Amino acid sequence: MKVKIVKTYSVQFRRGSETFSFFDMTQIILSTCRSKKFKSAVYEIWECNVKLLLFLHANMNPSELEFLAEKEIVEIVPKFTLDTICLMEGNLGPFRAGLPVRVPLWVALDFRRRERCTLVPPDWMNIQALEAIKKEEKTNELFTKMPNEHYMAVTVVICRSCSQDIPDSDRVQVLVKDIWDNRIAKIRTAIDSFIKTGSSFAKVNNLTQMEIANVRPFFPHALEQIHRMRQNSQEALINLNNSKSQSQSDSMYPDSDRMTQ
């Protein structure tokens, strides 16, 4: 059995023509192995892998998310003919000149840079669709579901490298930026309301990873500062109440110490 590391920070196992993910192999081993120590070791490795994936996914910065967006599948029209390309993430092709084929965005960008293909814009990357999304985002108080999880990064990458393949690419970029600005403004309004109401948690739907990464640098820090201020306020109030109680006690029994003597 061969083991290989793939681009998604996980491990895959290959046995003949079959490919198993790390999690599939974990389930197989735990269900067939009889050694308790070995099972325990495999489970610990699996648990660490899960924690690592969650940590990497939750703490990505915008540049890393742009890298992740390049895994999105897009359609190209190749200008060459080639048999299947075997990659670690799977096979691509076959490629036939003039016939559309679906590939990861990073592959499309490489072919387009070498002028080996033409990029077909995603279905949502047109003026009519983006105008409708922008209108819905403005009229709806909640966050609307975006057509792509990485809509901002995909637009930036494609328009930066393949703008000539996108009809009205300048207008497309403006509309996407308007949608982004509207959603970021909503996020800041929601954060302001969250802080002012003193809520302990909030549930928000339809946010993308890039939007979350945009507010992550300052939001936890702001909450930490508010928590410290509340703690200091509570401690000051407790000290004030204690001093008041002590002064009232002294005023009620001014000669108690003298009588005791």
Side-chain angles (χ1 to χ4, degrees):
M1 182 179 293
K2 297 180 180 180
V3 181
K4 63 179 182 179
I5 306 298
V6 296
K7 192 176 180 181
T8 53
Y9 306 108
S10 59
V11 181
Q12 285 188 344
F13 298 83
R14 184 179 294 276
R15 184 175 60 188
S17 60
E18 296 180 294
T19 301
F20 303 93
S21 70
F22 181 84
F23 304 101
D24 294 334
M25 285 302 302
T26 301
Q27 295 299 322
I28 294 173
I29 292 173
L30 292 178
S31 61
T32 58
C33 181
R34 295 182 179 181
S35 172
K36 292 183 178 180
K37 290 184 178 180
F38 188 72
K39 281 186 177 182
S40 177
V42 170
Y43 182 78
E44 288 180 5
I45 297 173
W46 177 84
E47 191 176 29
C48 291
N49 195 52
V50 170
K51 290 179 179 179
L52 176 62
L53 289 174
L54 292 175
F55 175 79
L56 291 172
H57 186 74
N59 292 274
M60 286 184 175
N61 58 42
S63 61
E64 292 169 333
L65 290 172
E66 184 175 308
F67 171 80
L68 190 63
E70 293 184 3
K71 292 169 64 73
E72 291 288 316
I73 302 300
V74 296
E75 195 172 77
I76 62 171
V77 179
K79 300 178 181 179
F80 60 94
T81 298
L82 185 68
D83 291 333
T84 302
I85 300 176
C86 298
L87 301 176
M88 295 180 67
E89 294 184 342
N91 298 334
L92 303 178
F95 299 90
R96 298 291 179 264
L99 296 180
V101 62
R102 294 174 64 81
V103 297
L105 179 56
W106 66 271
V107 175
L109 295 175
D110 182 66
F111 285 161
R112 187 66 185 85
R113 180 179 57 83
R114 294 184 288 165
E115 298 183 355
R116 303 289 301 276
C117 75
T118 300
L119 179 72
V120 178
D123 295 337
W124 54 270
M125 196 175 287
N126 62 78
I127 294 178
Q128 292 77 15
L130 293 174
E131 286 279 10
I133 295 173
K134 178 182 175 181
K135 182 178 179 180
E136 184 179 1
E137 194 66 49
K138 278 188 174 182
T139 56
N140 194 346
E141 293 183 359
L142 302 177
F143 293 94
T144 58
K145 185 174 178 58
M146 300 305 295
N148 187 283
E149 171 68 19
H150 304 284
Y151 74 96
M152 188 63 178
V154 169
T155 302
V156 170
V157 170
I158 289 179
C159 290
R160 184 173 58 204
S161 305
C162 318
S163 59
Q164 58 270 40
D165 295 340
I166 310 299
D168 299 316
S169 62
D170 291 338
R171 179 61 178 162
V172 167
Q173 293 181 72
V174 170
L175 287 172
V176 171
K177 184 62 167 58
D178 290 343
I179 294 171
W180 169 269
D181 290 341
N182 288 333
R183 291 173 67 86
I184 293 300
K186 278 187 182 180
I187 293 175
R188 291 175 178 171
T189 302
I191 290 175
D192 182 66
S193 175
F194 176 83
I195 292 175
K196 287 181 178 179
T197 56
S199 303
S200 56
F201 69 93
K203 181 179 180 180
V204 182
N205 295 326
N206 299 328
L207 285 182
T208 64
Q209 297 177 42
M210 186 71 78
E211 292 161 352
I212 295 173
N214 185 264
V215 299
R216 183 182 293 121
F218 67 87
F219 186 45
H221 179 68
L223 291 180
E224 182 181 359
Q225 294 299 321
I226 292 172
H227 177 67
R228 289 180 179 177
M229 291 172 62
R230 287 177 178 170
Q231 276 189 329
N232 293 336
S233 177
Q234 290 176 355
E235 291 177 358
L237 183 61
I238 291 173
N239 293 334
L240 180 62
N241 291 334
N242 290 338
S243 62
K244 285 183 178 180
S245 300
Q246 184 65 33
S247 62
Q248 289 177 358
S249 177
D250 293 342
S251 62
M252 290 177 62
Y253 306 101
D255 300 329
S256 58
D257 295 338
R258 189 178 302 171
M259 294 174 62
T260 304
Q261 292 176 357

